[in-house]
């Protein structure tokens, strides 16, 4: 029918030039036409060109073979986007494409090598056309209505997804459109990599090598794929995933139709999105717009079932909260594919959900999705089905809608600093209390609040009963007390809190103590402290003065007297009593008893001869009492005490106000952590409403805690790091400046570390007594602990390991938090310097500023 032949001379000199330079163009077209009908054919150097000359279809040669394919016509680089006979190449260039019996047929003159193979027989004249989209279609009479296509190349993609193409399923026809890589640059036959839509669960795209998944896009969440956080709405592309009972597919469009772009699965298994960039010089090039997989965490199931990958962490794998490595030995060697197992079995009835924010949703090929459910219904549905292990919203737009539920192991989880989404993990209630953080769901909050409330109530009742009894027996008491005997028979019944007991961590001998907390009479304490005389005052703790005392039997004690008018006094008091009574560790100060009488609330501790660390380490003369061995022992002691608080006691306890003045030293200079007035059982307090108050001490507070009130064990790690550096250098963090620079100790240490002069910072008073490697190790660990990002800081367990082992692997520290002497709260610059230099170690309490 209508044929338009173009001679090479018509194209002018430029075309010849282009051909000369274009090394990719292995086939030269001398004829171009618009359609193929039953009376015309395409062979040799003939080509079919799309109406506005965007694409061209014809024969091209790779290796020794000839293929029928489609490439861009306009651009200077021969880029093939579709190949018809990729697995049945023509041995010579005598291929003929024609329409026969309603089908497109490609033959070498004798045998058919490729056919469109449609069963539908055309009623009228079938016509084949190449459209401007790059779609090669066969339709009746050249009808360009897509519903009437008998066949289209877009249904059989090669390695390239063009704008408007569908990647996915026509479920009614059982047709799956997917990308298959070329074997290599010179061989378009089907390679080992495929990129397919899996529509069994929640639709997601999977890149596989020989059918083994290598990379997942994550399910579509309304805005983007869960595993492609960089897929944000932009001015170039519009992305969409369509999911109906008939079809499930991914597609994209160019918002500016004059641009050229393609998504290609390259033969080494890389997904690459290119855009064509014209250059002023005339040519142009494909510029790489996006690619995947990008990093270690994109590798499918890098951390195994229930493992979470985070590239900003080293090692990248961690277990989901409430889980522990299945094989710790393998895990230690970074063989993480075994994944993690639950620390405690699910209880079905008593379970709750832990919110994991910023996640790439796990493999959802076996998940159940329902777009019309609300997130709350989703939670209920998941909670009521004991095999459901997690849920998430299927569409994050407008606050979250729809429901995806998982009933199989969660595989291929990763965490993003931003752009991820919330995943709710089922955990037994016991794990939620320990691990919960601010992530628990309402139900868990309720459980914990109720538990906590009843504990406090019991405590209150205990106090009340005790006070009544005490009053009755007061006279008798006074008598016995004056003779100096402690009334052990009247021990405060802490047995009610046995449920809190740290159980297995407590040795048998201390177990007895654990059950009874002696109550002291006010009179006894008044006598011991000479009526709380100023001479006996040791200092001020967080919530009141501390006195030295001596019982009639000669035992020395330290008495903390809680301020009567401090609003939070009672809570802190109860908190401290419960906590400390249950905590038994040689690096935690021991509570000998307490006293409650009227308004008066006292805590009686063992007395520490050498008082607090800060009174020695920062004293120009006394510091000589601490040689390196002492200092190292102190560092290790604090580390072990903190490790116990964080991990080994049954409840995860965050101290929140760790500082040199809260480290007490006994006669042998053994360190003991004191002042738990502000400690929190992690997971309990925080679940109520985040942190109500930010309490702590400038110079020791981690940035995320000081600024956002985020509590975690990592804020204690930060404080620990500061103390370590203070011990090694004998200098206070706050108030220390290098000449002109506004650097505090952390900033200064960081500067010297980078310049590899960190040893200059060592305290001169220990220079003679120390092995340099140990000092360096401590400084290294100190710097790791004060890193700005909480995620970078080690857990106390690794800190202890690094401190105690000569050849532990230590990552390079990054920038510490709060490097300058000024803290964010000191705004007036003239006064700030002064204030920072006059060391103000008083604990501050601020209302949360959000
Ligand atoms: C196709 O073009 C090449 C290069 O110009 C030429 O050598 C060859 O003869 C042409 N083939 C046909 C069938 O026209
Ligand atoms: C092409 O054919 C020649 C001669 O038959 C052979 O030597 C060469 O290896 C072939 N090249 C490829 C890529 O198959
Ligand atoms: C092309 O190859 C086919 C078989 O593959 C052969 O029958 C035919 O003769 C060849 N034609 C030419 C011109 O070499
Ligand atoms: C053509 O399609 C039929 C089913 O429609 C299928 O059985 C056959 O294998 C196909 N043939 C080729 C060459 O693809
Ligand atoms: C799916 O395929 C069937 C059979 O080829 C066809 O009738 C239907 O229109 C297709 N559905 C869509 C949405 O393209
Ligand atoms: C469902 O999963 C099976 C096995 O992985 C796969 O072969 C099939 O293509 C999937 N179906 C859809 C619609 O994704
Ligand atoms: C589309 O892109 C072309 C080429 O980059 C540009 O000249 C044109 O202004 C763009 N059109 C719109 C509507 O952005
Ligand atoms: C595939 O992509 C990767 C990453 O961009 C690149 O290193 C490799 O050379 C590409 N392979 C080919 C054949 O283009
Ligand atoms: C999805 O949820 C809605 C509302 O709960 C329910 O009516 C519907 O049956 C569910 N659909 C499927 C496929 O389960
Ligand atoms: C619980 O969930 C599993 C997996 O999704 C499903 O097979 C089972 O039917 C569900 N049971 C109930 C009672 O809904």
């Amino acid at each position: 029918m209508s044929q338009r032949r173009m001679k090479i001379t018509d194209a002018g000199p430029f075309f010849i030039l282009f051909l000369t330079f274009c090394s990719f163009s292995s086939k030269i077209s001398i004829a171009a036409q618009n359609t193929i009908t039953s009376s015309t054919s395409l062979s040799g150097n003939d080509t079919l060109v799309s109406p506005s000359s965007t694409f061209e279809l014809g024969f091209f040669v790779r290796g020794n073979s000839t293929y029928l394919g489609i490439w861009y016509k306009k651009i200077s680089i021969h880029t093939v986007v579709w190949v018809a006979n990729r697995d049945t190449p023509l041995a010579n260039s005598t291929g003929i494409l024609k329409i026969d019996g309603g089908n497109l047929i490609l033959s070498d003159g004798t045998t058919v090598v490729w056919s469109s193979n449609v069963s539908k027989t055309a009623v009228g004249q079938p016509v084949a056309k190449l459209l401007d989209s790059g779609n090669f279609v066969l339709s009746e009479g050249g009808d360009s209505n897509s519903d009437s296509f008998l066949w289209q190349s877009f249904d059989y993609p090669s390695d390239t997804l063009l704008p408007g193409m569908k990647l996915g399923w026509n479920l009614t026809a059982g047709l799956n459109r997917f990308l298959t890589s070329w074997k290599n640059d010179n061989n378009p036959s089907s390679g080992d990599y495929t990129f397919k839509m899996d529509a069994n669960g929640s639709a997601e795209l999977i890149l596989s090598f020989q059918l083994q998944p290598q990379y997942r896009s994550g399910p579509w969440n309304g805005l983007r794929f869960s595993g492609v956080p960089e897929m944000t709405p932009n001015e170039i592309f519009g992305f969409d995933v369509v999911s109906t009972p008939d079809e499930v597919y991914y597609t994209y469009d160019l918002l500016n139709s004059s641009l050229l772009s393609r998504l290609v699965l390259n033969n080494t298994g890389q997904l690459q999105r290119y855009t064509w960039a014209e250059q002023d010089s005339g040519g142009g090039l494909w510029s790489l717009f996006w690619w995947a997989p990008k990093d270690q965490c994109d590798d499918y199931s890098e951390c195994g079932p229930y493992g979470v990958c985070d590239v900003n962490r080293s090692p990248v794998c961690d277990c989901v909260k409430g889980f522990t490595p299945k094989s710790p030995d393998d895990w230690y060697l970074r063989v993480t594919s075994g994944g993690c197992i639950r620390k405690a079995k699910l209880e079905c009835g008593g379970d709750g959900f832990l919110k994991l924010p910023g996640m790439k949703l796990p493999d959802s090929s076996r998940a159940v999705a329902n777009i019309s459910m609300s997130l709350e219904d989703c939670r209920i549905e998941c909670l009521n089905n004991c095999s459901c292990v997690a849920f998430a919203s299927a569409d994050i737009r407008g606050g979250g809608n729809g429901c995806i539920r998982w009933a199989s192991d969660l595989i291929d989880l990763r965490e993003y600093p931003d752009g991820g989404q919330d995943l709710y993990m089922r955990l037994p209630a016991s794990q939620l209390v320990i691990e919960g953080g601010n992530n628990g769901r309402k139900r868990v909050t309720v459980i914990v609040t109720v538990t906590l409330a009843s504990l406090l109530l019991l405590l209150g009742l205990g106090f009340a009963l005790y006070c009544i009894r005490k009053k009755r027996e007061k006279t008798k008491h006074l008598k016995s007390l004056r003779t100096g005997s402690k009334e052990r028979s009247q021990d405060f019944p802490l047995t009610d809190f046995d449920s809190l007991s740290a159980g297995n961590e407590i040795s048998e001998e201390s177990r007895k103590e654990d059950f009874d907390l002696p109550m002291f009479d006010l009179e006894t304490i008044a006598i011991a402290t000479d009526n709380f005389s100023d001479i006996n005052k040791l200092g001020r703790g967080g919530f009141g003065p501390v006195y030295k005392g001596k019982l009639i039997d000669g035992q020395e004690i330290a008495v903390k007297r809680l301020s009567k008018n401090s609003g939070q006094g009672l809570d802190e008091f109860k908190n401290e009593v419960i906590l400390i009574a249950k905590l038994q560790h040689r690096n935690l100060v021991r509570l000998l008893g307490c006293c409650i009488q009227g308004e008066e609330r006292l805590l009686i501790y063992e007395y520490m001869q050498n008082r607090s660390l800060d009174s020695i380490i920062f004293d120009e003369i006394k510091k000589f009492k601490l040689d390196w061995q002492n200092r190292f022992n102190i560092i290790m002691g604090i580390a072990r005490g903190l490790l116990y608080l964080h991990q080994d006691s049954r409840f995860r306890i965050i101290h929140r106000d760790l500082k040199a003045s809260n480290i007490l030293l006994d006669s042998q200079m053994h360190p003991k952590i004191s002042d738990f007035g502000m400690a929190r059982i992690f997971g309990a307090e925080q679940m109520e409403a985040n942190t109500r108050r930010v309490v702590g001490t400038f110079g020791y507070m981690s940035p995320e805690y000081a600024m956002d009130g985020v509590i975690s064990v990592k804020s204690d790690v930060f404080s620990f790091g500061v103390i370590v550096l203070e011990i090694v250098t004998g200098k206070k963090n706050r108030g220390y400046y290098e000449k002109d620079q506004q650097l505090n100790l952390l900033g200064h240490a960081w500067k010297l570390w980078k310049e590899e002069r960190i040893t200059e910072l060592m305290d001169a008073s220990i220079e003679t007594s120390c092995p340099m490697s140990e000092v360096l190790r401590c400084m290294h660990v100190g710097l790791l602990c004060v890193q700005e990002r909480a995620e970078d800081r080690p857990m106390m367990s690794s800190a202890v390991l690094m401190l105690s082992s000569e050849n532990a692997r230590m990552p390079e520290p990054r920038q510490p938090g709060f490097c300058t002497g000024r803290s964010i709260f000191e705004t007036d610059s003239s006064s700030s310097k002064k204030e920072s230099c006059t060391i103000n170690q008083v604990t501050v309490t601020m209302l949360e500023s959000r």
Side-chain angles (χ1 to χ4, degrees):
M1 301 245 291
S2 81
Q3 276 190 27
R4 194 165 53 109
R5 294 202 165 260
M6 185 177 79
K7 294 227 166 57
I8 195 162
T9 45
D10 295 344
F14 170 71
F15 194 48
I16 294 165
L17 206 65
F18 156 67
L19 292 175
T20 319
F21 281 106
C22 182
S23 59
F24 286 86
S25 180
S26 51
K27 194 74 197 173
I28 293 169
S29 26
I30 55 155
Q33 59 194 61
N34 282 355
T35 58
I36 300 174
T37 63
S38 36
S39 59
T40 59
S41 65
L42 198 75
S43 65
N45 292 342
D46 299 342
T47 63
L48 206 59
V49 176
S50 71
S52 44
S53 298
T54 313
F55 288 98
E56 186 168 28
L57 178 138
F59 294 96
F60 68 96
V61 174
R62 282 289 188 280
N64 288 339
S65 304
T66 304
Y67 301 89
L68 176 70
I70 299 173
W71 56 86
Y72 290 93
K73 178 158 178 64
K74 279 184 193 168
I75 65 172
S76 55
I77 298 176
H78 186 76
T79 311
V80 175
V81 297
W82 182 75
V83 187
N85 57 326
R86 61 188 306 186
D87 292 317
T88 50
L90 290 158
N92 49 38
S93 56
T94 57
I96 301 162
L97 179 69
K98 58 182 182 213
I99 293 177
D100 190 10
N103 266 316
L104 281 161
I105 304 274
L106 175 64
S107 68
D108 60 4
T110 50
T111 49
V112 173
V113 298
W114 176 85
S115 141
S116 58
N117 194 22
V118 283
S119 45
K120 248 194 255 175
T121 39
V123 182
Q125 273 292 340
V127 173
K129 277 203 296 196
L130 180 61
L131 306 182
D132 268 330
S133 59
N135 197 3
F136 182 43
V137 303
L138 182 66
S139 61
E140 280 181 45
D143 190 345
S144 37
N145 176 4
S146 65
D147 290 336
S148 64
F149 291 162
L150 298 166
W151 178 91
Q152 55 179 329
S153 66
F154 271 17
D155 278 344
Y156 306 92
S158 299
D159 67 339
T160 304
L161 193 73
L162 293 171
M165 273 173 93
K166 296 172 177 180
L167 185 65
W169 289 83
N170 173 338
L171 294 167
T172 40
L175 172 73
N176 189 13
R177 313 173 192 95
F178 60 90
L179 304 184
T180 308
S181 68
W182 285 24
K183 266 231 156 55
N184 60 51
D185 274 345
N186 230 9
N187 184 354
S189 58
S190 301
D192 289 325
Y193 292 96
T194 57
F195 190 49
K196 283 188 191 179
M197 166 76 72
D198 189 318
N200 282 323
S202 185
E204 61 180 333
L205 297 168
I206 296 180
L207 193 163
S208 307
F209 173 75
Q210 296 177 346
L211 302 179
Q212 292 302 310
Q214 303 292 306
Y215 163 77
R216 258 175 359 104
S217 67
W220 180 255
N221 63 24
L223 290 178
R224 56 176 175 264
F225 288 109
S226 170
V228 192
E230 64 272 26
M231 197 171 182
T232 47
N234 59 57
E235 287 107 55
I236 304 175
F237 298 106
F239 305 103
D240 203 7
V241 166
V242 173
S243 184
T244 66
D246 297 330
E247 300 191 278
V248 184
Y249 63 85
Y250 159 73
T251 188
Y252 71 97
D253 255 317
L254 280 167
L255 302 184
N256 181 343
S257 57
S258 63
L259 297 176
L260 298 179
S261 177
R262 64 199 170 99
L263 177 70
V264 61
L265 175 62
N266 99 357
N267 53 48
T268 50
Q270 279 270 327
L271 275 171
Q272 297 169 323
R273 184 184 295 287
Y274 287 100
T275 51
W276 180 255
E278 288 290 349
Q279 284 177 329
D280 294 339
S281 55
L285 51 83
W286 286 110
S287 86
L288 191 55
F289 185 89
W290 174 86
W291 73 98
K294 277 190 162 56
D295 51 44
Q296 191 182 358
C297 288
D298 272 343
D299 291 350
Y300 182 77
S301 194
E302 173 70 16
C303 301
Y306 300 104
V308 185
C309 197
D310 181 353
V311 280
N312 294 321
R313 182 164 56 203
S314 174
V316 293
C317 288
D318 198 0
C319 288
V320 179
K321 285 169 182 161
F323 286 75
T324 184
K326 188 172 179 191
S327 164
D329 291 348
D330 285 352
W331 197 266
Y332 179 74
L333 296 170
R334 311 273 159 94
V335 180
T336 47
S337 53
C340 307
I341 49 169
R342 285 186 191 279
K343 286 182 185 161
K345 278 218 171 71
L346 288 175
E347 291 146 14
C348 199
D351 298 336
F353 292 100
L354 175 71
K355 177 165 125 185
L356 304 175
M359 302 299 287
K360 170 180 179 176
L361 297 184
D363 189 334
S364 53
S365 55
R366 278 186 286 165
V368 178
N370 184 339
I371 197 69
S372 55
M373 261 165 115
S374 73
L375 192 60
E376 182 57 19
D377 290 343
C378 190
R379 189 181 72 81
I380 292 167
E381 190 87 358
C382 189
L383 194 65
N384 291 339
N385 185 335
C386 295
S387 56
C388 176
V389 294
F391 72 92
S393 50
D395 187 338
I396 59 170
R397 288 173 297 186
N401 246 312
C403 175
I404 310 179
R405 282 167 289 145
W406 287 263
S408 49
D409 283 351
L410 302 187
I411 293 171
D412 199 33
L413 282 163
R414 74 173 288 184
E415 218 173 328
Y416 294 110
D418 45 35
Q421 68 188 89
D422 297 339
L423 174 69
Y424 298 88
M425 278 277 314
R426 189 190 200 107
L427 283 184
S430 60
Q431 291 294 312
L432 281 167
V433 174
I434 302 166
E435 309 278 3
N438 53 355
N439 300 327
R441 293 281 312 169
K442 245 182 254 161
R443 187 191 153 88
V444 180
T445 315
V446 169
I447 293 172
V448 171
T449 318
V450 167
T451 319
L452 216 71
S454 40
L455 280 176
L456 290 179
L457 196 71
L458 279 170
L459 183 67
L461 261 168
F463 283 144
L465 281 173
Y466 175 77
C467 286
I468 292 166
R469 254 196 301 173
K470 202 78 189 174
K471 222 163 215 168
R472 277 197 205 131
E473 295 168 7
K474 180 140 190 175
T475 353
K476 182 188 143 210
H477 250 262
L478 268 172
K479 236 181 263 166
S480 65
L481 282 167
R482 278 185 204 287
T483 65
S485 69
K486 278 182 272 170
E487 275 284 296
R488 283 215 165 238
S489 60
Q490 294 297 321
D491 284 347
F492 179 66
L494 262 179
T495 8
D496 285 343
F497 307 101
D498 206 27
S499 55
L500 276 173
S501 163
N504 44 6
E505 300 300 330
I506 295 169
S507 67
E508 270 314 310
E509 58 162 359
S510 62
R511 188 176 287 277
K512 194 194 165 324
E513 303 261 344
D514 195 31
F515 286 84
D516 318 316
L517 184 69
M519 290 300 286
F520 286 80
D521 196 278
L522 182 59
E523 199 109 2
T524 320
I525 305 303
I527 291 165
T529 57
D530 201 5
N531 217 356
F532 302 104
S533 75
D534 276 353
I535 301 161
N536 284 326
K537 201 160 167 180
L538 293 170
R540 270 191 81 86
F543 289 94
V546 182
Y547 297 89
K548 182 186 172 176
K550 197 171 194 174
L551 295 174
I552 294 173
D553 64 5
Q555 185 179 6
E556 287 187 309
I557 53 171
V559 179
K560 183 172 170 185
R561 188 183 199 183
L562 275 92
S563 320
K564 286 173 200 164
N565 50 5
S566 77
Q568 59 281 116
L570 186 60
D571 278 350
E572 261 76 24
F573 183 67
K574 288 172 178 173
N575 194 9
E576 191 157 5
V577 170
I578 298 176
L579 277 176
I580 300 177
K582 296 294 152 193
L583 295 175
Q584 305 275 340
H585 190 273
R586 66 175 179 283
N587 294 115
L588 302 185
V589 76
R590 243 183 84 205
L591 184 67
L592 298 176
C594 71
C595 168
I596 306 163
Q597 213 159 318
E599 291 277 88
E600 205 67 69
R601 286 189 290 275
L602 308 173
L603 288 169
I604 293 97
Y605 293 100
E606 56 182 333
Y607 176 71
M608 301 295 228
Q609 269 80 356
N610 280 307
R611 319 254 310 249
S612 61
L613 178 64
D614 66 328
S615 69
I616 297 181
I617 200 91
F618 302 137
D619 187 296
E620 286 310 321
I621 295 161
K622 285 189 194 159
K623 62 162 56 165
F624 284 92
K625 277 170 51 180
L626 290 179
D627 64 9
W628 174 248
Q629 197 49 49
N630 274 326
R631 292 191 195 198
F632 186 69
N633 290 345
I634 291 172
I635 291 174
M636 285 305 295
I638 302 169
R640 290 202 188 98
L642 207 50
L643 176 63
Y644 173 80
L645 288 179
H646 286 180
Q647 285 182 5
D648 295 344
S649 66
R650 185 166 155 199
F651 281 79
R652 176 171 288 195
I653 290 159
I654 313 242
H655 187 288
R656 292 211 291 169
D657 195 19
L658 202 63
K659 53 183 170 181
S661 61
N662 277 341
I663 307 297
L664 304 183
L665 299 172
D666 70 6
S667 53
Q668 271 110 51
M669 293 288 179
H670 293 147
K672 297 192 184 222
I673 300 171
S674 80
D675 214 337
F676 296 85
M678 284 169 298
R680 284 289 173 272
I681 298 177
F682 192 51
E685 173 77 6
Q686 213 185 355
M687 244 182 271
E688 270 175 34
N690 243 332
T691 330
R692 277 175 303 171
R693 286 175 292 118
V694 171
V695 293
T697 303
F698 288 138
Y700 294 94
M701 271 191 283
S702 64
E704 78 277 6
Y705 177 45
M707 292 193 273
D708 299 325
V710 176
I711 307 181
S712 74
V713 290
K714 296 295 181 71
S715 30
D716 277 356
V717 171
F718 184 93
S719 313
F720 172 72
V722 174
I723 295 177
V724 170
L725 291 172
E726 288 184 336
I727 292 175
V728 179
T729 61
K731 295 179 175 82
K732 286 173 177 160
N733 182 23
R734 269 167 64 84
Y736 177 80
Y737 296 101
E738 201 189 18
K739 276 169 227 138
D740 324 322
Q741 296 182 356
Q742 290 255 314
L743 291 176
N744 61 8
L745 178 62
L746 300 190
H748 190 42
W750 174 239
K751 183 167 165 276
L752 292 181
W753 174 267
K754 281 188 300 186
E755 294 167 6
E756 301 195 338
R757 295 160 47 205
I758 187 83
T759 46
E760 292 174 22
L761 206 54
M762 197 171 94
D763 194 347
S765 63
I766 52 168
E767 258 168 20
T768 52
S769 64
C770 65
M772 214 46 170
S773 64
E774 220 164 66
V775 175
L776 261 177
R777 204 160 70 227
C778 287
M779 287 180 159
H780 193 157
V781 172
L783 281 171
L784 286 174
C785 291
V786 297
Q787 292 176 99
E788 173 133 41
R789 293 156 41 92
E791 310 88 276
D792 291 343
R793 294 175 214 144
M795 299 294 285
M796 279 319 294
S797 47
S798 352
V800 168
L801 197 74
M802 289 189 276
L803 284 169
S804 54
S805 143
E806 296 226 335
N807 36 25
R809 275 174 42 100
M810 291 203 265
E812 207 34 34
R814 300 185 191 180
Q815 163 101 22
F818 286 156
C819 271
T820 58
R822 265 184 253 184
S823 96
I824 45 157
F825 304 108
E826 303 161 66
T827 42
D828 178 6
S829 60
S830 62
S831 70
S832 78
K833 179 140 185 179
K834 212 168 125 217
E835 201 192 321
S836 308
C837 292
T838 58
I839 295 75
N840 182 5
Q841 297 282 23
V842 168
T843 299
V844 292
T845 300
M846 283 166 288
L847 283 172
E848 198 191 2
S849 56
R850 313 191 216 187

